Amino acid sequence: MELGLSLGEAMADAGRELVLGLGMGRREEAAEAGRRDHEVRRELEFGSMSSRCGGSSPEPTVRLTLLPMVPGLGLPWPPPPPPSSESSECGDGHLEASTRGFDVNRPPSSGGGGGGGAEEEQDDAAGAALSSSPNNSAGSFPMDDFSGHGLGGNDAAPGGGGGDRSCSRASDEDDGGSARKKLRLSKEQSAFLEESFKEHSTLNPKQKLALAKQLNLRPRQVEVWFQNRRARTKLKQTEVDCEYLKRCCETLTEENRRLQKELAELRALKTVHPFYMHLPATTLSMCPSCERVASNSAPATASSAATSSTAAPPAAPSSGGIAATSSSSAAAAAAPDHRPSSFAALFSSPRGFPLSVAPQAQPPTSS
DNA sequence: CCCTGACGTCTCCTTACCTCA
DNA sequence: CGTGAGGTAAGGAGACGTCAG
């Protein structure tokens, strides 16, 4: 994914340094990315856009942090670490610990109804396990929230406001070997899977089997659910990324417009006071507080003495005599105490999102 | 050590089903 | 009641990593 931003000459260098890492890895990264997905996602935060633009960050490398919400649950993303030590590393612990019956979609049938296979055998085993201890409530998963529902099938939805439409359409009819049925996971199953997904976005076979056993689903169903869930997460991430990049683009465009105006003013100033151009190479930077241009490395001129507070590193002499650096980021770096300019503020973020902007877009010092 | 085929899992795209406005 | 949109479970293709032979 690339984002082409035409920012004009002043921002061109900085724009070139804009590295957008959006987790849009291609297929060759897919497997590895999939395995790292959980850790990577925990690095991402979808924060509010306003908060991202607020703080000042003297740190040169800008990192964007996004914090998504869990769709449908309204949970912050990434989820807070499990409060108790009960959530094991592999997830088997808490999964095994919370054994509740989810015989919603597939009642543990001994017959299998045509079409079975190895998975069906596992399901039968799962059903037997569930039927043996359907109310074993030793779990750490918040299944207590579901305790009020009837988990056992079509009567799970008491109607009312909630209207659990999702419960068990497929439970009252076996597959019959016809075209594929639209299985609808119950809310409880979805919530359980959601909780598991928060801990592990990918499943190893053991976890998959355990989940399938607990939810009374086929392992393939669990697998598919996780695949689709990852796809949805990625889609949501992409939407947020696009939205954020759109804002970035707007901000940069505005910044560019302002810099162009600034440049025009400087050129006008040059025509009025041409002796400025006989001075040595000068780095112009904008004081982010007063938003005035300061000439940092020039000898004491009236304007620079008035506005320049900290000396920026002298830039390489350019052909025009004025080395206009990427003023905003340079200003942010040169005057970290001041209020950051909009550009720096935009990209200031505590951690996470690997969007980095080089603070100083200096031309290569090719003497 | 290298090669190869089997296997499992992933992403991506698509289809089919279901619900709701 | 019919219909289109949106959500979602599931199928299939292709790629990749791992492992045994």
Side-chain angles (χ1 to χ4, degrees), chain A residues 102-112 123-132 216:
Chain A
F102 286 101
D103 50 350
V104 176
N105 286 306
R106 281 179 49 86
S109 62
S110 59
D123 282 356
D124 291 342
L130 286 169
S131 61
S132 63
N216 197 21

PDB file of all heavy atoms in Angstrom, chain A residues 102-112 123-132 216:
ATOM      1  N   PHE A 102     -22.787 -26.091  25.299  1.00  0.00           N
ATOM      2  CA  PHE A 102     -23.234 -25.253  24.205  1.00  0.00           C
ATOM      3  C   PHE A 102     -23.877 -26.124  23.150  1.00  0.00           C
ATOM      4  O   PHE A 102     -23.462 -26.160  22.020  1.00  0.00           O
ATOM      5  CB  PHE A 102     -22.065 -24.479  23.595  1.00  0.00           C
ATOM      6  CG  PHE A 102     -21.622 -23.369  24.467  1.00  0.00           C
ATOM      7  CD1 PHE A 102     -20.507 -23.528  25.253  1.00  0.00           C
ATOM      8  CD2 PHE A 102     -22.317 -22.199  24.521  1.00  0.00           C
ATOM      9  CE1 PHE A 102     -20.083 -22.507  26.055  1.00  0.00           C
ATOM     10  CE2 PHE A 102     -21.885 -21.184  25.316  1.00  0.00           C
ATOM     11  CZ  PHE A 102     -20.777 -21.325  26.099  1.00  0.00           C
ATOM     12  N   ASP A 103     -24.831 -26.830  23.530  1.00  0.00           N
ATOM     13  CA  ASP A 103     -25.464 -27.737  22.582  1.00  0.00           C
ATOM     14  C   ASP A 103     -26.545 -26.992  21.820  1.00  0.00           C
ATOM     15  O   ASP A 103     -27.703 -27.355  21.822  1.00  0.00           O
ATOM     16  CB  ASP A 103     -26.043 -28.937  23.317  1.00  0.00           C
ATOM     17  CG  ASP A 103     -26.886 -28.487  24.482  1.00  0.00           C
ATOM     18  OD1 ASP A 103     -26.843 -27.291  24.807  1.00  0.00           O
ATOM     19  OD2 ASP A 103     -27.578 -29.344  25.049  1.00  0.00           O
ATOM     20  N   VAL A 104     -26.124 -25.938  21.217  1.00  0.00           N
ATOM     21  CA  VAL A 104     -27.102 -25.090  20.555  1.00  0.00           C
ATOM     22  C   VAL A 104     -27.291 -25.493  19.113  1.00  0.00           C
ATOM     23  O   VAL A 104     -28.388 -25.805  18.665  1.00  0.00           O
ATOM     24  CB  VAL A 104     -26.652 -23.617  20.638  1.00  0.00           C
ATOM     25  CG1 VAL A 104     -27.607 -22.753  19.885  1.00  0.00           C
ATOM     26  CG2 VAL A 104     -26.576 -23.201  22.086  1.00  0.00           C
ATOM     27  N   ASN A 105     -26.203 -25.494  18.414  1.00  0.00           N
ATOM     28  CA  ASN A 105     -26.337 -25.761  16.995  1.00  0.00           C
ATOM     29  C   ASN A 105     -26.329 -27.237  16.667  1.00  0.00           C
ATOM     30  O   ASN A 105     -26.971 -27.677  15.746  1.00  0.00           O
ATOM     31  CB  ASN A 105     -25.198 -25.082  16.223  1.00  0.00           C
ATOM     32  CG  ASN A 105     -25.420 -23.600  16.158  1.00  0.00           C
ATOM     33  OD1 ASN A 105     -26.469 -23.144  15.722  1.00  0.00           O
ATOM     34  ND2 ASN A 105     -24.438 -22.846  16.619  1.00  0.00           N
ATOM     35  N   ARG A 106     -25.560 -27.940  17.436  1.00  0.00           N
ATOM     36  CA  ARG A 106     -25.445 -29.347  17.132  1.00  0.00           C
ATOM     37  C   ARG A 106     -25.697 -30.144  18.383  1.00  0.00           C
ATOM     38  O   ARG A 106     -24.827 -30.286  19.214  1.00  0.00           O
ATOM     39  CB  ARG A 106     -24.062 -29.679  16.587  1.00  0.00           C
ATOM     40  CG  ARG A 106     -23.902 -29.324  15.141  1.00  0.00           C
ATOM     41  CD  ARG A 106     -22.506 -29.679  14.727  1.00  0.00           C
ATOM     42  NE  ARG A 106     -22.163 -31.045  15.149  1.00  0.00           N
ATOM     43  CZ  ARG A 106     -22.431 -32.118  14.443  1.00  0.00           C
ATOM     44  NH1 ARG A 106     -23.039 -32.003  13.289  1.00  0.00           N
ATOM     45  NH2 ARG A 106     -22.093 -33.295  14.868  1.00  0.00           N
ATOM     46  N   PRO A 107     -26.806 -30.650  18.508  1.00  0.00           N
ATOM     47  CA  PRO A 107     -27.021 -31.541  19.629  1.00  0.00           C
ATOM     48  C   PRO A 107     -26.161 -32.772  19.465  1.00  0.00           C
ATOM     49  O   PRO A 107     -26.058 -33.322  18.368  1.00  0.00           O
ATOM     50  CB  PRO A 107     -28.512 -31.885  19.535  1.00  0.00           C
ATOM     51  CG  PRO A 107     -28.872 -31.637  18.125  1.00  0.00           C
ATOM     52  CD  PRO A 107     -27.988 -30.532  17.652  1.00  0.00           C
ATOM     53  N   PRO A 108     -25.532 -33.164  20.508  1.00  0.00           N
ATOM     54  CA  PRO A 108     -24.631 -34.303  20.390  1.00  0.00           C
ATOM     55  C   PRO A 108     -25.391 -35.557  20.006  1.00  0.00           C
ATOM     56  O   PRO A 108     -25.949 -36.250  20.834  1.00  0.00           O
ATOM     57  CB  PRO A 108     -23.998 -34.414  21.777  1.00  0.00           C
ATOM     58  CG  PRO A 108     -24.912 -33.674  22.673  1.00  0.00           C
ATOM     59  CD  PRO A 108     -25.549 -32.608  21.863  1.00  0.00           C
ATOM     60  N   SER A 109     -25.410 -35.774  18.740  1.00  0.00           N
ATOM     61  CA  SER A 109     -26.158 -36.916  18.249  1.00  0.00           C
ATOM     62  C   SER A 109     -25.236 -38.074  18.012  1.00  0.00           C
ATOM     63  O   SER A 109     -24.113 -37.934  17.570  1.00  0.00           O
ATOM     64  CB  SER A 109     -26.845 -36.529  16.934  1.00  0.00           C
ATOM     65  OG  SER A 109     -25.866 -36.205  15.978  1.00  0.00           O
ATOM     66  N   SER A 110     -25.713 -39.200  18.315  1.00  0.00           N
ATOM     67  CA  SER A 110     -24.885 -40.384  18.132  1.00  0.00           C
ATOM     68  C   SER A 110     -24.905 -40.856  16.700  1.00  0.00           C
ATOM     69  O   SER A 110     -23.989 -41.481  16.223  1.00  0.00           O
ATOM     70  CB  SER A 110     -25.388 -41.500  19.036  1.00  0.00           C
ATOM     71  OG  SER A 110     -26.733 -41.778  18.721  1.00  0.00           O
ATOM     72  N   GLY A 111     -25.949 -40.512  15.984  1.00  0.00           N
ATOM     73  CA  GLY A 111     -26.051 -41.011  14.636  1.00  0.00           C
ATOM     74  C   GLY A 111     -25.170 -40.260  13.658  1.00  0.00           C
ATOM     75  O   GLY A 111     -24.529 -40.842  12.817  1.00  0.00           O
ATOM     76  N   GLY A 112     -25.112 -38.942  13.777  1.00  0.00           N
ATOM     77  CA  GLY A 112     -24.306 -38.193  12.837  1.00  0.00           C
ATOM     78  C   GLY A 112     -25.073 -37.834  11.596  1.00  0.00           C
ATOM     79  O   GLY A 112     -24.711 -36.919  10.890  1.00  0.00           O
ATOM     80  N   ASP A 123     -16.892 -34.614  17.409  1.00  0.00           N
ATOM     81  CA  ASP A 123     -18.071 -33.945  17.930  1.00  0.00           C
ATOM     82  C   ASP A 123     -18.847 -34.845  18.842  1.00  0.00           C
ATOM     83  O   ASP A 123     -19.385 -34.420  19.862  1.00  0.00           O
ATOM     84  CB  ASP A 123     -18.959 -33.509  16.772  1.00  0.00           C
ATOM     85  CG  ASP A 123     -18.407 -32.267  16.140  1.00  0.00           C
ATOM     86  OD1 ASP A 123     -17.412 -31.749  16.658  1.00  0.00           O
ATOM     87  OD2 ASP A 123     -18.951 -31.849  15.153  1.00  0.00           O
ATOM     88  N   ASP A 124     -18.916 -36.067  18.459  1.00  0.00           N
ATOM     89  CA  ASP A 124     -19.630 -36.988  19.318  1.00  0.00           C
ATOM     90  C   ASP A 124     -18.949 -37.091  20.663  1.00  0.00           C
ATOM     91  O   ASP A 124     -19.588 -37.109  21.711  1.00  0.00           O
ATOM     92  CB  ASP A 124     -19.691 -38.356  18.651  1.00  0.00           C
ATOM     93  CG  ASP A 124     -20.579 -38.300  17.438  1.00  0.00           C
ATOM     94  OD1 ASP A 124     -21.387 -37.354  17.330  1.00  0.00           O
ATOM     95  OD2 ASP A 124     -20.453 -39.170  16.600  1.00  0.00           O
ATOM     96  N   ALA A 125     -17.646 -37.111  20.601  1.00  0.00           N
ATOM     97  CA  ALA A 125     -16.921 -37.144  21.874  1.00  0.00           C
ATOM     98  C   ALA A 125     -17.190 -35.888  22.667  1.00  0.00           C
ATOM     99  O   ALA A 125     -17.362 -35.921  23.885  1.00  0.00           O
ATOM    100  CB  ALA A 125     -15.419 -37.285  21.590  1.00  0.00           C
ATOM    101  N   ALA A 126     -17.222 -34.768  21.940  1.00  0.00           N
ATOM    102  CA  ALA A 126     -17.486 -33.515  22.636  1.00  0.00           C
ATOM    103  C   ALA A 126     -18.862 -33.539  23.250  1.00  0.00           C
ATOM    104  O   ALA A 126     -19.071 -33.095  24.388  1.00  0.00           O
ATOM    105  CB  ALA A 126     -17.352 -32.351  21.660  1.00  0.00           C
ATOM    106  N   GLY A 127     -19.798 -34.025  22.498  1.00  0.00           N
ATOM    107  CA  GLY A 127     -21.141 -34.072  23.033  1.00  0.00           C
ATOM    108  C   GLY A 127     -21.229 -34.968  24.249  1.00  0.00           C
ATOM    109  O   GLY A 127     -21.897 -34.638  25.231  1.00  0.00           O
ATOM    110  N   ALA A 128     -20.503 -36.062  24.201  1.00  0.00           N
ATOM    111  CA  ALA A 128     -20.519 -36.928  25.357  1.00  0.00           C
ATOM    112  C   ALA A 128     -19.903 -36.233  26.545  1.00  0.00           C
ATOM    113  O   ALA A 128     -20.400 -36.318  27.671  1.00  0.00           O
ATOM    114  CB  ALA A 128     -19.756 -38.207  25.023  1.00  0.00           C
ATOM    115  N   ALA A 129     -18.817 -35.510  26.272  1.00  0.00           N
ATOM    116  CA  ALA A 129     -18.179 -34.813  27.377  1.00  0.00           C
ATOM    117  C   ALA A 129     -19.097 -33.767  27.960  1.00  0.00           C
ATOM    118  O   ALA A 129     -19.147 -33.571  29.175  1.00  0.00           O
ATOM    119  CB  ALA A 129     -16.879 -34.154  26.882  1.00  0.00           C
ATOM    120  N   LEU A 130     -19.813 -33.100  27.101  1.00  0.00           N
ATOM    121  CA  LEU A 130     -20.687 -32.057  27.596  1.00  0.00           C
ATOM    122  C   LEU A 130     -21.859 -32.644  28.342  1.00  0.00           C
ATOM    123  O   LEU A 130     -22.287 -32.119  29.359  1.00  0.00           O
ATOM    124  CB  LEU A 130     -21.177 -31.208  26.424  1.00  0.00           C
ATOM    125  CG  LEU A 130     -20.120 -30.285  25.862  1.00  0.00           C
ATOM    126  CD1 LEU A 130     -20.611 -29.690  24.567  1.00  0.00           C
ATOM    127  CD2 LEU A 130     -19.790 -29.212  26.874  1.00  0.00           C
ATOM    128  N   SER A 131     -22.358 -33.702  27.796  1.00  0.00           N
ATOM    129  CA  SER A 131     -23.522 -34.253  28.454  1.00  0.00           C
ATOM    130  C   SER A 131     -23.170 -34.872  29.791  1.00  0.00           C
ATOM    131  O   SER A 131     -24.006 -34.983  30.675  1.00  0.00           O
ATOM    132  CB  SER A 131     -24.150 -35.314  27.548  1.00  0.00           C
ATOM    133  OG  SER A 131     -23.220 -36.345  27.319  1.00  0.00           O
ATOM    134  N   SER A 132     -21.913 -35.221  29.917  1.00  0.00           N
ATOM    135  CA  SER A 132     -21.541 -35.829  31.175  1.00  0.00           C
ATOM    136  C   SER A 132     -21.522 -34.799  32.289  1.00  0.00           C
ATOM    137  O   SER A 132     -21.861 -35.096  33.410  1.00  0.00           O
ATOM    138  CB  SER A 132     -20.166 -36.484  31.035  1.00  0.00           C
ATOM    139  OG  SER A 132     -19.200 -35.495  30.761  1.00  0.00           O
ATOM    140  N   ASN A 216     -19.154 -27.280  21.488  1.00  0.00           N
ATOM    141  CA  ASN A 216     -19.934 -28.288  20.793  1.00  0.00           C
ATOM    142  C   ASN A 216     -20.040 -27.962  19.311  1.00  0.00           C
ATOM    143  O   ASN A 216     -21.106 -27.990  18.699  1.00  0.00           O
ATOM    144  CB  ASN A 216     -21.319 -28.429  21.409  1.00  0.00           C
ATOM    145  CG  ASN A 216     -21.977 -29.718  20.986  1.00  0.00           C
ATOM    146  OD1 ASN A 216     -21.303 -30.658  20.574  1.00  0.00           O
ATOM    147  ND2 ASN A 216     -23.287 -29.761  21.054  1.00  0.00           N
TER     148      ASN A 216
END
